[in-house]
């Protein structure tokens, strides 16, 4: 994953060349030099336009393809790696300890993962889903409303996925607590 993101960054830097340092402050009125397709594993991710030697692609599409989450904080777009919910990455997926101390350490890791996931749910709701809802409400005559509605729907779907991951982690914690109670008998 990191290699893919690094590859994108290096590619953009090579593609943009020295013009990145001399880029105009506004793209308004600039000539589009070309339209390119952004692909991952042979599948189209998005279209990118090239203006003054720099490629511009939709951040949402690129972040989804790269497997990272996107959030907004003021005028900052923040990309973070998704925490996959697979048996390999689950805090309890390692060889489960059988001692009370080992189980307690495992529990601490799981509680930390739950806290991070809960924060992620709130952040995603506030900065992703609510962002598009606000855009739609504040710009009822915009031609971009269908795009915003699609992004809002996609955001709601992703939010439900994150909530499901949180529920799974909470179930793992409940199971671990039962295991700790059993060991302490």
């Amino acid at each position: 994953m990191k290699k893919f993101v690094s590859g994108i960054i290096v590619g953009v830097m090579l593609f943009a060349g020295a013009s990145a340092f001399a880029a105009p402050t506004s793209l308004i009125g600039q000539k589009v030099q070309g339209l390119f397709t952004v692909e991952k594993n042979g599948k189209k991710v998005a279209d990118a336009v090239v203006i003054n030697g720099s490629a511009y692609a939709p951040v949402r599409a690129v972040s989804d393809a790269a497997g990272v989450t996107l959030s907004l904080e003021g005028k900052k777009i923040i990309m973070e790696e998704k925490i996959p919910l697979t048996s390999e990455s689950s805090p309890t997926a390692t060889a489960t300890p059988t001692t009370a101390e080992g189980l307690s350490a495992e529990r601490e890791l799981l509680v930390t993962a739950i806290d991070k996931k809960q924060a992620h749910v709130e952040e995603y709701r506030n900065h992703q889903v609510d962002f598009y809802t606000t855009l739609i409400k504040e710009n009822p005559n915009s031609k971009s409303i269908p795009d915003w509605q699609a992004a809002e729907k996609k955001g709601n779907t992703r939010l439900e996925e994150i909530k499901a991951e949180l529920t799974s982690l909470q179930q793992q914690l409940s199971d671990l607590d039962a295991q700790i109670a059993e060991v302490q008998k």
Side-chain angles (χ1 to χ4, degrees):
M1 178 56 57
K2 290 181 183 177
K3 288 182 181 179
F4 177 75
V5 174
S6 298
I8 289 176
I9 292 170
V10 170
V12 168
M13 288 174 56
L14 290 173
F15 195 74
S19 66
F21 297 107
T25 56
S26 174
L27 297 175
I28 297 173
Q30 298 295 317
K31 183 179 177 187
V32 175
Q33 297 167 329
L35 181 66
F36 291 81
T37 301
V38 179
E39 292 184 357
K40 179 181 179 191
N41 298 330
K43 184 177 178 185
K44 181 179 177 181
V45 173
D47 287 322
V49 294
V50 177
I51 301 173
N52 293 332
S54 295
Y56 296 90
V59 178
R60 165 70 54 213
V62 173
S63 68
D64 287 346
V68 296
T69 59
L70 206 61
S71 61
L72 299 173
E73 195 172 287
K75 290 191 172 195
K76 243 189 327 188
I77 298 174
I78 302 167
M79 292 176 36
E80 296 177 318
E81 289 201 39
K82 292 179 183 175
I83 301 172
L85 189 63
T86 61
S87 58
E88 300 89 42
S89 66
S90 167
T92 58
T94 57
T96 306
T98 55
T99 65
E101 296 83 20
L103 290 171
S104 294
E106 192 78 16
R107 187 180 194 285
E108 287 179 33
L109 290 173
L110 200 48
V111 167
T112 301
I114 289 171
D115 290 344
K116 286 181 180 179
K117 190 62 72 174
Q118 286 173 330
H120 190 203
V121 165
E122 287 305 310
E123 182 178 314
Y124 199 85
R125 178 184 298 121
N126 294 336
H127 296 291
Q128 279 305 101
V129 177
D130 293 347
F131 173 75
Y132 288 108
T133 304
T134 303
L135 274 177
I136 294 167
K137 284 181 185 176
E138 292 180 358
N139 303 288
N141 298 324
S142 175
K143 293 179 181 178
S144 297
I145 286 182
D147 294 333
W148 295 340
Q149 288 171 331
E152 180 184 36
K153 183 178 179 182
K154 191 173 185 179
N156 281 324
T157 301
R158 178 65 186 133
L159 183 59
E160 290 306 313
E161 291 170 357
I162 296 169
K163 286 180 181 179
E165 293 168 4
L166 176 60
T167 301
S168 177
L169 288 172
Q170 290 169 331
Q171 181 60 47
Q172 290 176 27
L173 180 62
S174 177
D175 295 345
L176 188 60
D177 284 342
Q179 192 176 1
I180 289 171
E182 188 67 31
V183 168
Q184 290 178 344
K185 283 186 182 180

